[in-house]
């Protein structure tokens, strides 16, 4: 049930972000926000990930629809810090851990089991870093996420 609540929260958050207005003023690439990764030999590059803070913070982005949909979420404490942090499995109620998950289509949800999030910079406006993780879906199939990188709005605790 907690997994369903987590999926619903991320889905609603992404939907809310997609309805927001864009402020594309032709700024420089230093203003670029992204969530990038490789999985199964395919690279994904999604612009403008959302950052949502409540009891913890999630940086999330999605692309595609139906079976081609990919949504990746990076979870962290609101007071995230610069450095390398181990990714652990999160039961959905922990607010002080770093974790990740990947949704593929509407049927596959991959929860992280191990990996790292390396936050390379964080200030009042932006957070930037790299990540990689391995996780399993409900059927026990293992997925490996590599070459991950992100730049997004900072969590509210910073």
């Amino acid at each position: 049930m907690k997994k369903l609540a987590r999926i619903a929260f991320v889905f609603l958050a992404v939907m809310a972000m997609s309805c927001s207005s864009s402020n594309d003023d032709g700024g420089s690439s230093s203003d670029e926000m992204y969530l990038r990764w490789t999985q199964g030999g395919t690279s994904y590059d999604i612009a403008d990930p959302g950052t949502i803070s409540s009891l913890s913070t999630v940086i999330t982005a999605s692309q595609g629809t139906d079976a081609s949909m990919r949504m990746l979420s990076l979870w962290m404490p609101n007071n995230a810090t610069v450095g390398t942090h181990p990714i652990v499995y999160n039961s959905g109620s922990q607010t002080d851990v770093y974790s990740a998950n990947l949704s593929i289509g509407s049927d596959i949800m991959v929860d992280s089991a191990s990996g790292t999030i390396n936050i390379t910079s964080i200030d009042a406006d932006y957070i930037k870093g790299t990540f990689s993780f391995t996780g399993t879906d409900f059927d026990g199939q293992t997925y490996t996420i590599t070459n991950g990188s992100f730049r997004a709005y900072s969590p509210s605790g910073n």
Side-chain angles (χ1 to χ4, degrees), residues 35-155:
L35 186 57
R36 300 174 178 143
W37 73 92
T38 302
Q39 183 267 316
T42 302
S43 295
Y44 299 91
D45 185 347
I46 304 175
D48 301 321
T51 302
I52 304 158
S53 295
S54 182
L55 298 176
S56 61
T57 295
V58 61
I59 297 171
T60 188
S62 67
Q63 73 177 21
T65 60
D66 301 324
S68 70
M69 189 275 294
R70 297 292 185 272
M71 181 170 64
L72 191 133
S73 301
L74 302 172
W75 297 83
M76 62 193 67
N78 287 334
N79 60 348
T81 58
V82 170
T84 301
H85 307 279
I87 288 179
V88 298
Y89 172 76
N90 186 345
S91 65
S93 61
Q94 298 165 295
T95 61
D96 60 347
V97 299
Y98 294 80
S99 64
N101 55 38
L102 172 69
S103 296
I104 302 173
S106 61
D107 298 330
I108 300 173
M109 175 71 164
V110 179
D111 285 319
S112 60
S114 64
T116 58
I117 294 178
N118 180 23
I119 298 175
T120 56
S121 66
I122 188 168
D123 60 30
D125 297 319
Y126 302 103
I127 183 170
K128 183 177 179 179
T130 61
F131 63 92
S132 62
F133 68 92
T134 299
T136 56
D137 66 12
F138 297 130
D139 295 326
Q141 182 174 342
T142 299
Y143 293 80
T144 301
I145 309 304
T146 60
N147 303 318
S149 61
F150 63 94
R151 184 171 187 271
Y153 287 116
S154 285

